[in-house]
Amino acid sequence: MAEGLRERKKRQTRQYISDVATGLFLERGFEAVTVAEIAEAANVSVNTVYNYFPAKEDLFLDRSAGVVDRLARWVRGRPEGESAAVAVLRELREEVESVSPRVGLFAGYASFMTVVEEAPALRSRLWAIAQEVQGNLEQVLREETGAADGDELPYLMAGQISWVHGAVMAVIGREMVKGRKPAEVSREVLALLDDIEDLLSEKVLNYAVRGVE
């Protein structure tokens, strides 16, 4: 269905407020900027800011919605004969090999991570997002394997697979903050993914293999 004028205007306003806020955070740091200052710079009211972003952290992490279902989406979309862990490893390799900004392989990611590292509130929010990523993945694994209530294997498997994603993202963030080139980091992380796969047990690598539909 086509986006209406009202919906498009709301989306554009939301994006503009987020862009203004991000610029201020990158310039001065997350904790040094107030919501009132963001509202003034964006020429909107404080209430308008809060209507679009319930918390200050949402202004900086406004694209987190695309992350919270990332692993669940990858697992749902895996082909026949592929396990959940192998699907995530494959998707990560494709993102890293293509030097994708979706995994932080772009020049501006260093500035983004510097702001995060200096703000406990943002680090806390990222931890919460990681928990949501794992929870969404666990739900998919439960549904697809038909796990019974009380069966903790989907929880354990989701934790292992989420660790893979978290380790890759942590290394990318650490290396990009050093001012390194995305292509260089990409090559090293591809080798890291091989090491990670070697560390995973056969039970993890063969869990939730998609059967023939």
Side-chain angles (χ1 to χ4, degrees):
M1 185 170 61
E3 182 181 43
L5 178 61
R6 178 181 174 83
E7 288 73 23
R8 182 167 68 253
K9 185 175 180 180
K10 288 177 66 175
R11 176 176 56 79
Q12 291 171 342
T13 299
R14 187 183 193 282
Q15 187 62 57
Y16 178 67
I17 294 170
S18 173
D19 289 346
V20 169
T22 298
L24 291 173
F25 293 146
L26 291 173
E27 179 184 348
R28 295 165 48 195
F30 181 77
E31 295 181 342
V33 179
T34 67
V35 173
E37 289 172 325
I38 293 167
E40 182 178 1
N43 198 30
V44 297
S45 69
V46 169
N47 284 341
T48 297
V49 175
Y50 279 120
N51 283 340
Y52 286 100
F53 302 94
K56 183 180 170 184
E57 293 86 348
D58 297 325
L59 284 156
F60 193 64
L61 301 172
D62 63 310
R63 292 172 177 81
S64 63
V67 175
V68 293
D69 70 339
R70 174 184 283 175
L71 301 189
R73 187 172 67 250
W74 286 349
V75 168
R76 282 197 191 97
R78 72 194 186 284
E80 294 173 3
E82 190 171 72
S83 72
V86 171
V88 170
L89 285 165
R90 174 180 52 76
E91 292 279 3
L92 277 172
R93 282 194 178 96
E94 290 175 2
E95 294 283 1
V96 172
E97 190 170 16
S98 65
V99 195
S100 171
R102 288 187 294 269
V103 289
L105 291 170
F106 64 98
Y109 197 58
S111 299
F112 173 87
M113 287 306 301
T114 298
V115 173
V116 171
E117 289 179 357
E118 294 174 351
L122 290 176
R123 295 200 303 273
S124 178
R125 175 59 67 86
L126 283 181
W127 179 87
I129 290 171
Q131 297 307 298
E132 193 171 354
V133 170
Q134 182 172 329
N136 287 339
L137 175 58
E138 179 188 351
Q139 184 60 38
V140 170
L141 294 177
R142 287 191 177 279
E143 292 170 359
E144 295 206 359
T145 61
D149 291 343
D151 184 350
E152 296 298 341
L153 192 55
Y155 168 75
L156 296 174
M157 290 296 180
Q160 288 284 291
I161 297 170
S162 296
W163 166 76
V164 173
H165 178 258
V168 167
M169 295 304 297
V171 169
I172 289 174
R174 183 186 69 201
E175 295 305 310
M176 292 301 293
V177 165
K178 295 177 183 178
R180 302 190 58 205
K181 295 180 179 179
E184 292 177 350
V185 177
S186 168
R187 288 193 293 271
E188 292 183 6
V189 173
L190 284 173
L192 175 71
L193 277 163
D194 290 338
D195 292 337
I196 287 174
E197 185 166 359
D198 288 341
L199 289 172
L200 295 175
S201 71
E202 288 300 312
K203 188 169 185 177
V204 174
L205 290 171
N206 292 309
Y207 180 75
V209 174
R210 168 151 288 166
V212 177
E213 296 292 340

